[in-house]
Amino acid sequence: MEYSDLYVQRIKSLCSQRGISIYKLSAMSGVKQSTLDNIVRGQTHNPKARTLHKIALAFNMTLAEFLDFPELNEYSFDEEDE
């Protein structure tokens, strides 16, 4: 799994747990629908911290809480990516 896929998985999981659509998340976060769609579809591989922060706030989380999940914490970068 690629690093960027982890954000997508996290967003989808939180939306599912809370019964929120991507459209609703856009309205709650103030992040453009097209930006969220691009992230979820994997077209945006490195969303800005500001964007992730807005998404986290929409889930009533800090950015640190949003980024604190096992798959991301256990992710290991290959040496070639450095």
Side-chain angles (χ1 to χ4, degrees), residues 32-50:
K32 290 182 186 179
Q33 177 73 39
S34 60
T35 300
L36 271 173
D37 286 341
N38 287 339
I39 292 170
V40 172
R41 290 183 189 142
Q43 294 173 328
T44 299
H45 294 282
N46 295 306
K48 293 180 180 178
R50 178 180 172 171

Side-chain angles (χ1 to χ4, degrees), residues 12-44:
K12 287 181 177 180
S13 174
L14 289 170
C15 281
S16 177
Q17 289 172 18
R18 296 166 190 220
I20 298 171
S21 67
I22 296 298
Y23 176 78
K24 173 94 173 176
L25 180 60
S26 172
M28 291 169 60
S29 66
V31 175
K32 290 182 186 179
Q33 177 73 39
S34 60
T35 300
L36 271 173
D37 286 341
N38 287 339
I39 292 170
V40 172
R41 290 183 189 142
Q43 294 173 328
T44 299

